[in-house]
């Protein structure tokens, strides 16, 4: 059985993130979406509420082989604890690739985990930071966020 681990802060979880999850769910027998919690960084949105929103989106889309967890450790350690055989990383552009390739090499050396890159598809131009900047200035971000996440960030 192949299990992929897709880690991120998901603060907020965008349509690009969701595209990666859907693609990974078609590749792997099981996918774990890991919300990384860094106690040194302030989250914009409550991690528990974001987890619930992501779980709702996953359920609404019948992605029965996907589940969501939190973790407060190195991604490789969390992935191994979950029994993952691969790390999943989303790519938006060539800049992402350069950074992600370096992380993939470290994760291979330290944890023995290979990384699968999944393109963000038509959502490659958006990021959580860009969405937050648009929200800050009152712009419509409904096309960039899945419904449950949009409800969370605009409440």
């Amino acid at each position: 059985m192949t299990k992929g681990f897709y880690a991120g802060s998901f603060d907020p979880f965008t349509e690009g993130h969701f595209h990666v999850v859907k693609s990974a769910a078609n590749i792997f027998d099981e996918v774990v979406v890991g919300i990384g919690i860094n106690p040194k960084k302030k989250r914009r949105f409550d991690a528990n509420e974001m987890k619930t929103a992501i779980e709702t989106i996953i359920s609404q889309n019948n992605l029965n082989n996907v589940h969501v967890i939190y973790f407060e450790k190195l991604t490789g350690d969390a992935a191994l604890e979950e029994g993952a055989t691969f790390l999943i990383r989303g790519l938006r552009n060539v800049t992402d690739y350069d950074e992600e390739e370096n992380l993939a090499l470290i994760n291979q050396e330290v944890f023995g985990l290979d990384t699968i890159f999944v393109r963000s598809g038509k959502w490659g131009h958006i990021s959580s930071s860009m969405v937050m900047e648009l929200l800050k200035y009152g712009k419509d971000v409904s096309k960039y966020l899945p419904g449950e996440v949009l409800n969370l960030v605009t409440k």
Side-chain angles (χ1 to χ4, degrees), residues 136-154:
K136 178 180 172 182
Y137 291 99
K139 301 302 179 193
D140 178 17
V141 296
S142 60
K143 63 183 169 187
Y144 305 128
L145 300 174
E148 291 299 318
V149 174
L150 180 64
N151 293 341
L152 174 61
V153 303
T154 58

Side-chain angles (χ1 to χ4, degrees), residues 14-107:
T14 68
E15 287 287 0
H17 295 131
F18 188 44
H19 177 83
V20 171
V21 170
K22 289 186 291 189
S23 297
N26 286 323
I27 297 168
F28 294 97
D29 296 319
E30 187 176 344
V31 174
V32 179
V33 176
I35 300 174
I37 307 296
N38 183 341
K40 295 178 184 172
K41 290 186 179 179
K42 180 164 175 21
R43 290 189 59 86
R44 294 177 280 226
F45 303 100
D46 178 78
N48 190 48
E49 290 178 338
M50 190 60 64
K51 179 178 185 277
T52 300
I54 296 168
E55 288 171 335
T56 301
I57 295 158
I58 288 167
S59 176
Q60 289 171 342
N61 287 272
N62 300 313
L63 297 175
N64 301 322
N65 62 334
V66 179
H67 72 274
V68 185
I69 66 160
Y70 306 111
F71 68 96
E72 290 188 39
K73 56 186 73 163
L74 293 173
T75 297
D77 285 331
L80 290 173
E81 282 182 14
E82 288 292 317
T85 48
F86 289 91
L87 296 174
I88 302 163
R89 297 301 296 167
L91 292 179
R92 292 176 297 162
N93 52 43
V94 70
T95 304
D96 277 358
Y97 177 78
D98 288 340
E99 183 177 332
E100 294 294 344
E101 181 61 22
N102 288 330
L103 289 173
L105 291 169
I106 292 296
N107 284 316

